[in-house]
Amino acid sequence: MNPKRNQEIDRLFQEKLGSHDSALPNDFWDRMQVERASRSKQISRNRMIWLLLFLFVSTAGYRLFYNKKDPNRQAVVLQNTILQTQEQSNPTRIAALDLPNHSELKNKLSNNNMLLNSAENIGTTSEDKNKHTEEALGALFVQKKQAHDKSIHKTLKDRVILQEKTDHHIKTNITASSSKHLSSRSIAGERASISNEIPASLSEQVNNKNAHNNVQTTPSSHKGKVGDLANRQPRPASLLKETATETDLSQHTLSFLKTSYKPLASSKKTDEKLDVSIHNCPDFIIKRYKTYLEFVFAPEFAVRNLSTNQAALNEYIGIRNQTERSNYAFHTGGRIAIAYKSGIVLKTGMLYSQISEHFQHRNNETITEKRYELIEEIPSQDDPGRMYQVWDTVTYVYKGQRVRNYFNRHHSIDVPLMIGYEKRFHGFSVAVNAGVNLNLWFASKSTFFSPEMEPLNYSTDNISGQVNLDNLAKGKTFKSTVGINLFTSFACNYRISSRSYLIFEPSFRMHLNSFTLPETGIDQSYIIPGVIFGLRYELN
Amino acid sequence: MNDQQLIEGCLRKDKRSEKALFNKYSQRMYTICRRYARHDAEAEDILQDALIKVYDNIKNFRAEGSLEAWIRRIVVNTALKMVSKSSFQKEQLGMENYQEAATEPRAFRNLSAEELMGLIARLPDGYRIVFNLAAIEGYTHKEIGAMLGIQESTSRSQLTKARKMLQSLVLKQEKITL
């Protein structure tokens, strides 16, 4: 083929078509504006979904990878909590235990699931003094814990039994010699085993204390040393000169033990529990979260949004908006909430929701005929005394406006997936929640105007709901599931008993997808503000 | 309104400016869309998508070229997205029936723009797209290959076949006229 001829042909096409204008359909601009509005709405919805997804994934990731169970940290935190609890209940006892050469024993004593009640507040202590020392001891403790569990528990049990037999507090000094013997032996053994594992700098402190058992010590003189583990709060001046010997230690230790065991060792029945607990000696079972069961009911107001990308349907949508209005909406159901110590709350459950709308059909040219039958009795002229019955009919014709009311209802069952942050105060808590409701089932039964201005029944089941003008839709009008709706709320939970709360939760739901099938040419979606009322019950 | 005023108005989301821009360029762009599309409905879809992109991205317009060229490029790119790569794998049908026909450019000169559009519309998808890009828009085969994800040689052969087919169609039309 001749290249020159080709170029000539190309040039001809360029000249003739390059500046050629083609006529556009008249409604093209309007259609494009509708499409633009629809797309910008879709973009904002997508952004919100991504934001929620990001929040959900980041929180889940945080829970799974960052804040996972750290045995060393738990050991230290548990110990801190126990000691703090003991300090609050009996400062004198703790002052004695502050001696550095007893820190190992305190660590081991803390490894007891009987003290779980005290562990309720784990994670809430904020003292970070001597953090590195604590972590070092915690790590060592975990390493040695299993090896020494049996001996420690035996010692603990012996002490408790001994204390139960005497049935007196340590002040009476009963069985001083035997307790001295027990405590000296066990403490010496434990100290020897642990001090082998303690780094030189730390064990030196411990050994120094071992060598000076009878030396008067004060807690304040051991800041930054092993003994500072429990030394976090200022001591009363009267305690600073307290003497601690091996004998004193045993007495104080027994006192400490008895106090710690008090909830379980208060009766003979609980001794059995104590025995089982000691022998099973599980790892720390720390309650890191609470589980709640929530029953909710939320009156709501549904704001409907009808839109279309077909210019021909704009007028029809205007008529629909004039003749229909939101009546009410509500949702009710149950939710399970898992509230972590960190304040993160995860919720799921099952919710039933209903949107009710009112469609009023006014027919201005209604003609109503009312026919009445009249029965009269006329006396017979031929036969006096006899009565004839005469039947007559009267018809009244009424012309006027006929008003018919239809109540349309959209039903759905959703599964909420929510994440929130809860701040707890004394007697109440507040929370911010956000998430999505996944629709499992949707059904609608509605009556509204067809494009031909005839009231027709539309539902998820019948095929009479032909909305669009071009007869594109050949199937159902409403979907059988409506995808997801976004949910956000601000919750206030007021404690009404030890385990129950009242819920007051202003909420906001937004349906992302249309209730109607795309073939209908009309998008019908809802924004639903409301207030959730409910009851929250703590399960564990 | 000149282009600069149109751009500033569109940046302010001024509806009058947007409508003015639409009035100024939409018909010309619609011609382009019709050249690439299989039918008018598809051309309208392409134009709608392209113009929405124009309004949404006008902030990214750099005054390095004319506004019309920038819009034209968006329209062409949008049109190309509508065409699948498979268009270029089905075009072998019946080419042996199109004989080498030495049609003079004069034969095309006598045709009106709408008639030329009609001829282009009769080309298979692959031929039509390459012919539009190469012969009318002036893209090189390398650029067309990159835009459509095809080999340069494929682009070249598609153009050759498109020209052959157009000449045959013109010849046939001339015979009918005579």
Side-chain angles (χ1 to χ4, degrees):
Chain A
M1 203 177 243
N2 188 346
K4 275 191 177 178
R5 189 186 295 154
N6 287 343
Q7 284 175 4
E8 181 69 14
I9 292 171
D10 290 353
R11 195 178 55 77
L12 270 168
F13 272 94
Q14 282 172 10
E15 277 176 7
K16 293 206 172 184
L17 299 180
S19 56
H20 178 64
D21 291 345
S22 300
L24 271 166
N26 291 332
D27 63 341
F28 188 85
W29 171 255
D30 295 331
R31 275 159 41 197
M32 194 174 75
Q33 292 308 306
V34 172
E35 180 67 17
R36 273 184 82 188
S38 161
R39 285 189 191 186
S40 68
K41 199 184 292 179
Q42 186 65 38
I43 288 168
S44 58
R45 284 174 184 171
N46 289 345
R47 280 180 187 158
M48 196 171 280
I49 289 173
W50 280 111
L51 180 67
L52 288 171
L53 202 63
F54 171 76
L55 283 173
F56 188 80
V57 169
S58 56
T59 310
Y62 170 80
R63 298 300 312 170
L64 284 173
F65 299 109
Y66 180 72
N67 199 25
K68 64 186 178 184
K69 198 173 181 180
D70 183 349
N72 295 345
R73 183 174 175 273
Q74 284 181 12
V76 174
V77 173
L78 178 61
Q79 176 194 6
N80 293 347
T81 309
I82 293 162
L83 293 175
Q84 193 181 40
T85 309
Q86 293 300 322
E87 273 185 270
Q88 288 168 359
S89 62
N90 195 339
T92 308
R93 194 177 297 124
I94 291 301
L97 290 169
D98 277 339
L99 288 170
N101 53 2
H102 300 145
S103 59
E104 305 94 333
L105 180 59
K106 284 187 285 182
N107 275 340
K108 292 170 190 292
L109 295 178
S110 68
N111 180 25
N112 229 305
N113 67 331
M114 290 183 297
L115 301 178
L116 281 177
N117 288 335
S118 301
E120 279 282 336
N121 296 321
I122 286 169
T124 58
T125 54
S126 60
E127 294 85 356
D128 283 324
K129 291 177 184 175
N130 305 318
K131 187 181 175 186
H132 296 298
T133 308
E134 289 175 4
E135 285 178 356
L137 283 173
L140 286 171
F141 165 67
V142 171
Q143 287 173 5
K144 294 292 294 176
K145 179 173 69 66
Q146 289 188 345
H148 292 280
D149 271 348
K150 283 186 180 177
S151 63
I152 286 296
H153 294 140
K154 189 174 183 307
T155 306
L156 298 175
K157 192 181 171 188
D158 288 344
R159 290 174 183 176
V160 172
I161 291 167
L162 183 64
Q163 202 68 8
E164 285 293 320
K165 282 178 183 174
T166 57
D167 201 24
H168 289 288
H169 195 268
I170 198 69
K171 284 178 183 175
T172 60
N173 279 330
I174 297 173
T175 67
S177 59
S178 62
S179 67
K180 181 179 179 181
H181 171 69
L182 274 172
S183 61
S184 299
R185 186 182 58 189
S186 61
I187 291 165
E190 296 308 316
R191 187 182 304 145
S193 62
I194 295 245
S195 60
N196 289 337
E197 302 293 328
I198 299 174
S201 60
L202 298 176
S203 63
E204 188 182 349
Q205 301 297 329
V206 175
N207 291 335
N208 285 342
K209 281 294 142 194
N210 289 343
H212 299 91
N213 263 342
N214 293 318
V215 175
Q216 201 172 31
T217 55
T218 60
S220 59
S221 65
H222 297 290
K223 278 193 174 177
K225 298 175 183 176
V226 179
D228 279 338
L229 218 64
N231 190 21
R232 286 179 189 75
Q233 293 185 359
R235 304 282 180 271
S238 59
L239 297 174
L240 297 180
K241 292 183 178 178
E242 191 166 346
T243 303
T245 63
E246 285 290 340
T247 306
D248 291 332
L249 173 67
S250 70
Q251 290 171 354
H252 284 295
T253 305
L254 284 169
S255 169
F256 172 76
L257 284 168
K258 187 171 182 184
T259 308
S260 299
Y261 290 160
K262 209 167 183 179
L264 291 176
S266 58
S267 69
K268 296 227 170 185
K269 284 182 181 176
T270 52
D271 277 345
E272 293 171 13
K273 292 179 187 175
L274 173 67
D275 188 50
V276 171
S277 299
I278 287 173
H279 286 294
N280 286 341
C281 192
D283 287 337
F284 300 123
I285 303 168
I286 298 169
K287 214 191 290 179
R288 296 166 64 85
Y289 59 84
K290 290 184 177 180
T291 309
Y292 299 97
L293 185 61
E294 297 177 347
F295 298 100
V296 294
F297 175 81
E300 296 169 317
F301 181 76
V303 180
R304 189 179 70 177
N305 178 34
L306 280 183
S307 62
T308 181
N309 54 8
Q310 297 178 23
L313 288 172
N314 284 334
E315 190 183 350
Y316 170 63
I317 284 177
I319 292 165
R320 288 276 309 271
N321 285 329
Q322 282 174 8
T323 53
E324 296 167 42
R325 62 178 171 79
S326 290
N327 206 22
Y328 64 84
F330 71 88
H331 79 256
T332 184
R335 300 188 303 204
I336 297 280
I338 298 172
Y340 290 92
K341 291 286 181 188
S342 60
I344 298 295
V345 185
L346 301 177
K347 290 185 184 183
T348 187
M350 187 79 81
L351 300 173
Y352 166 77
S353 65
Q354 187 183 108
I355 297 170
S356 176
E357 289 169 332
H358 178 211
F359 163 58
Q360 196 170 68
H361 174 222
R362 292 174 180 270
N363 190 343
N364 293 327
E365 296 175 354
T366 303
I367 298 173
T368 307
E369 283 186 0
K370 287 189 177 177
R371 184 171 295 176
Y372 299 94
E373 287 185 342
L374 300 176
I375 305 171
E376 287 185 271
E377 287 192 339
I378 303 169
S380 172
Q381 291 180 352
D382 300 331
D383 187 3
R386 190 177 174 185
M387 300 294 283
Y388 287 98
Q389 278 192 341
V390 179
W391 294 61
D392 196 6
T393 304
V394 180
T395 303
Y396 296 95
V397 178
Y398 299 95
K399 285 186 180 178
Q401 187 184 63
R402 185 180 186 187
V403 180
R404 291 193 67 180
N405 292 305
Y406 300 90
F407 294 96
N408 302 329
R409 289 188 175 89
H410 309 290
H411 312 265
S412 60
I413 292 178
D414 301 317
V415 172
L417 295 176
M418 277 185 268
I419 187 167
Y421 181 77
E422 186 169 304
K423 184 78 179 168
R424 294 165 196 117
F425 302 97
H426 182 69
F428 74 100
S429 63
V430 293
V432 179
N433 302 308
V436 294
N437 290 332
L438 302 177
N439 181 250
L440 295 184
W441 170 84
F442 174 79
S444 178
K445 192 171 183 183
S446 307
T447 302
F448 49 83
F449 271 133
S450 70
E452 291 76 30
M453 303 299 288
E454 288 294 325
L456 287 179
N457 294 321
Y458 299 89
S459 75
T460 45
D461 299 322
N462 72 21
I463 58 169
S464 67
Q466 186 65 19
V467 175
N468 70 323
L469 294 174
D470 299 328
N471 293 324
L472 289 172
K474 299 293 181 191
K476 301 168 184 176
T477 303
F478 289 101
K479 295 174 179 173
S480 53
T481 57
V482 289
I484 62 174
N485 62 77
L486 299 179
F487 176 91
T488 183
S489 69
F490 177 78
C492 303
N493 306 310
Y494 179 73
R495 186 193 287 267
I496 52 173
S497 73
S498 61
R499 283 177 174 267
S500 304
Y501 297 81
L502 279 179
I503 300 172
F504 175 78
E505 188 175 338
S507 67
F508 181 83
R509 289 195 288 148
M510 186 171 85
H511 282 272
L512 295 179
N513 299 319
S514 172
F515 282 19
T516 52
L517 291 164
E519 293 89 340
T520 61
I522 290 177
D523 276 356
Q524 182 172 342
S525 57
Y526 290 84
I527 293 172
I528 310 171
V531 180
I532 298 171
F533 299 97
L535 192 65
R536 184 185 223 199
Y537 184 75
E538 186 180 323
L539 293 177
N540 59 0
Chain B
M1 277 200 245
N2 61 29
D3 282 356
Q4 189 57 36
Q5 288 169 326
L6 286 177
I7 291 165
E8 286 168 5
C10 289
L11 285 172
R12 291 195 310 269
K13 307 281 179 194
D14 175 34
K15 285 285 170 199
R16 274 196 319 155
S17 301
E18 287 182 352
K19 187 74 190 283
L21 186 138
F22 175 82
N23 291 337
K24 189 170 181 181
Y25 293 112
S26 64
Q27 294 192 333
R28 194 162 300 169
M29 297 305 140
Y30 185 49
T31 306
I32 298 172
C33 295
R34 284 178 65 204
R35 281 198 277 113
Y36 286 91
R38 297 175 187 89
H39 43 79
D40 283 356
E42 193 176 55
E44 287 175 23
D45 287 346
I46 293 169
L47 183 65
Q48 182 171 278
D49 272 9
L51 289 179
I52 289 173
K53 281 181 196 169
V54 167
Y55 290 128
D56 290 345
N57 295 288
I58 201 155
K59 58 183 177 293
N60 299 325
F61 172 68
R62 302 279 174 268
E64 292 162 356
S66 71
L67 180 62
E68 183 179 348
W70 183 71
I71 296 172
R72 178 186 279 261
R73 194 174 178 90
I74 289 177
V75 170
V76 170
N77 286 336
T78 308
L80 293 179
K81 279 189 180 173
M82 293 264 185
V83 184
S84 69
K85 200 179 172 184
S86 62
S87 301
F88 299 92
Q89 295 161 358
K90 300 173 186 169
E91 309 300 351
Q92 304 305 323
L93 56 124
M95 273 316 294
E96 59 277 7
N97 298 330
Y98 291 99
Q99 295 171 356
E100 185 78 29
T103 314
E104 288 299 320
R106 158 183 69 76
F108 291 100
R109 194 174 291 130
N110 295 333
L111 297 175
S112 68
E114 282 299 322
E115 284 171 324
L116 289 178
M117 293 277 284
L119 287 179
I120 291 172
R122 290 172 68 182
L123 293 174
D125 288 349
Y127 296 176
R128 190 176 64 248
I129 291 161
V130 173
F131 182 78
N132 275 319
L133 290 172
I136 303 176
E137 311 291 346
Y139 288 102
T140 64
H141 289 295
K142 191 176 181 182
E143 287 170 329
I144 293 169
M147 288 164 85
L148 300 177
I150 57 173
Q151 298 288 322
E152 277 183 58
S153 56
T154 309
S155 170
R156 221 170 258 121
S157 70
Q158 298 274 320
L159 179 63
T160 308
K161 288 170 185 173
R163 281 203 185 106
K164 273 189 199 176
M165 196 169 171
L166 281 172
Q167 290 180 7
S168 297
L169 291 171
V170 169
L171 208 59
K172 209 180 282 182
Q173 199 163 317
E174 276 187 334
K175 281 177 185 174
I176 292 167
T177 312
L178 289 171

